[in-house]
């Protein structure tokens, strides 16, 4: 085939594999799957320069591997759009160049259908001078009423020199594992989080890593994780239904001001620390955990095991 787009049309109805044999450009159209489609794109370590939405799932399954993705100059489109289905990117690199003019998400999820996005052994390079880095809204922008799953496995994403939060919604289900490293200058809003064998850090001064204000249910599991913040690692304020945090293995929760700040909730807040987990604060031992509030439906329970 002369181009990747034509090859994708032929491959997606039979679940076939496309193998790139040269660098290529994709602009104006996108590689897409419908509910009855599936294909694999093996970049074969070549570069795909993109000028618009390049990967779109309307259901079905798409796997992209061994590909270098680079935004074309003056591109203002998101790179990945999920309208449901399963999208997996493996051993890929993504480069947002200085002239990348995107305002919203590099990744968007805009459907009521469930969507799953996995980045496995990938890395992201974001030029700090790009419009997206300076003025953009999010890395993943959720529209609609879905609960997209965002998986990072052995992946590096550094948003610390940008204004970009990881996502714009607490409904994004976040999993970070297998040696991933996530750095952010903004709080992460996801209310359902699993972090295993990985590091997640809020690098900006006076920024909480996880900030939950007025949420319903919050569930956090951290195993062999390193969680750090320049202010609080976890802030739970005004939460209404239930907050559950489990720390296990050799997890370290270290906030410059506090590890946990728990204030004015109207629900039980439960923290369970297992293994050799550490809860500490660089501000001193009296600041690791702060609990304040007075509501008959609220409680705070810390259980230390092992």
């Amino acid at each position: 085939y002369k181009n990747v787009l034509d090859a994708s049309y032929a491959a997606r109805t039979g679940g076939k594999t496309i193998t790139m044999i040269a660098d290529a450009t994709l602009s104006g159209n996108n590689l897409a799957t419908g509910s009855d489609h599936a294909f694999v794109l093996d970049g074969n370590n070549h570069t795909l320069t993109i000028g618009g939405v390049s990967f779109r799932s309307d259901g079905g399954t798409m796997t992209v591997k061994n590909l270098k993705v680079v935004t074309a100059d003056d591109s203002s489109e998101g790179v990945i759009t999920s309208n449901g289905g399963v999208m997996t990117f493996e051993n890929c690199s993504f480069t947002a160049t200085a002239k990348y003019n995107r305002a919203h998400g590099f990744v968007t999820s805009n459907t009521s259908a469930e969507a799953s996005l996995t980045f496995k052994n990938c890395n992201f390079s974001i030029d700090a001078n790009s419009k997206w880095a300076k003025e953009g809204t999010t890395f993943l922008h959720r529209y609609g009423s879905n609960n997209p799953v965002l998986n990072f496995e052995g992946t590096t994403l550094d948003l610390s020199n940008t204004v970009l939060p990881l996502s714009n919604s607490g409904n994004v289900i976040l999993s970070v594992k297998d040696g991933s490293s996530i750095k952010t200058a903004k709080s992460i809003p996801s209310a359902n989080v699993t972090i295993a064998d990985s590091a997640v850090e809020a690098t900006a001064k006076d920024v909480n890593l996880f900030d939950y204000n007025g949420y319903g249910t919050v569930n956090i599991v951290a195993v062999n994780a390193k969680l750090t913040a320049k202010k609080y690692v976890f802030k739970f304020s005004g939460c209404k239904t239930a907050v559950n945090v489990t720390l296990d293995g050799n997890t370290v929760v270290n906030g410059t001001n506090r590890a946990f700040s728990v204030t004015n909730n109207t629900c039980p807040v439960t923290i369970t620390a297992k293994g050799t987990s550490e809860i500490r604060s660089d501000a001193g031992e009296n600041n690791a955990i702060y609990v304040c509030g007075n509501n008959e439906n609220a409680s705070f329970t810390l259980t230390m095991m092992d």
Side-chain angles (χ1 to χ4, degrees):
Y1 295 87
K2 293 182 178 179
N3 58 67
V4 177
L5 186 63
D6 287 349
S8 73
Y9 291 150
R12 66 186 185 181
T13 56
K16 300 181 179 69
T17 297
I18 307 159
T19 302
M20 291 176 59
I21 58 174
D23 295 348
T25 299
L26 185 65
S27 179
N29 291 292
N30 46 57
L31 310 179
T33 57
S35 59
D36 57 346
H37 292 156
F39 71 82
V40 176
L41 171 61
D42 187 343
N44 199 21
N45 294 318
H46 288 293
T47 298
L48 183 65
T49 302
I50 55 175
V53 175
S54 293
F55 307 99
R56 192 186 85 235
S57 172
D58 297 319
T61 302
M62 179 189 303
T63 301
V64 179
K65 60 184 182 180
N66 308 320
L67 181 65
K68 301 173 185 177
V69 179
V70 179
T71 59
D73 285 350
D74 300 320
S75 172
S76 60
E77 298 292 336
V79 174
I80 300 165
T81 296
S82 175
N83 298 316
V86 177
M87 304 179 78
T88 301
F89 297 87
E90 184 174 351
N91 298 322
C92 293
S93 65
F94 298 87
T95 301
T97 58
K99 293 186 178 181
Y100 183 52
N101 290 323
R102 179 66 172 166
H104 298 295
F106 192 86
V107 181
T108 57
S109 176
N110 52 359
T111 176
S112 59
E114 297 308 311
S116 175
L117 298 118
T118 297
F119 297 95
K120 185 175 183 180
N121 299 326
C122 296
N123 64 78
F124 294 83
S125 177
I126 303 169
D127 194 300
N129 294 314
S130 66
K131 179 180 178 180
W132 184 50
K134 290 182 175 180
E135 303 175 20
T137 57
T138 49
F139 172 79
L140 183 150
H141 202 90
R142 171 189 176 266
Y143 301 93
S145 58
N146 65 327
N147 300 305
V149 178
L150 179 59
N151 296 313
F152 294 106
E153 301 177 12
T155 289
T156 300
L157 174 61
D158 188 350
L159 301 172
S160 59
N161 291 322
T162 75
V163 300
L164 302 163
L166 186 62
S167 68
N168 67 322
S169 171
N171 295 85
V172 176
I173 300 169
L174 177 64
S175 173
V176 182
K177 59 184 181 180
D178 297 341
S180 292
S181 174
I182 307 295
K183 295 182 180 180
T184 176
K186 300 288 185 179
S187 297
I188 297 173
S190 300
N192 192 322
V193 179
T194 301
I195 303 169
D197 304 301
S198 297
V200 183
E201 178 182 2
T203 60
K205 183 179 179 180
D206 295 330
V207 169
N208 308 317
L209 180 57
F210 295 97
D211 196 325
Y212 305 103
N213 191 347
Y215 277 52
T217 302
V218 178
N219 289 306
I220 309 290
V221 177
V223 182
N224 301 325
K226 184 177 181 181
L227 310 177
T228 55
K230 290 292 190 293
K231 192 177 181 182
Y232 310 149
V233 176
F234 293 100
K235 179 184 176 184
F236 305 108
S237 182
C239 293
K240 302 172 182 178
T241 306
V243 175
N244 300 293
V245 180
T246 299
L247 312 175
D248 206 347
N250 60 350
T251 292
V252 176
V253 180
N254 188 7
T256 297
N257 289 27
R258 298 172 187 164
F260 290 90
S261 179
V262 183
T263 60
N264 301 319
N265 299 287
T266 60
C267 68
V269 176
T270 302
I271 300 172
T272 303
K274 304 178 181 180
T276 58
S277 296
E278 298 181 37
I279 301 172
R280 49 187 163 96
S281 167
D282 288 340
E285 61 184 14
N286 293 330
N287 293 291
I289 299 174
Y290 178 85
V291 182
C292 182
N294 184 15
N295 184 281
E296 62 182 3
N297 296 315
S299 62
F300 175 81
T301 304
L302 170 64
T303 302
M304 295 182 289
M305 305 174 65
D306 304 330

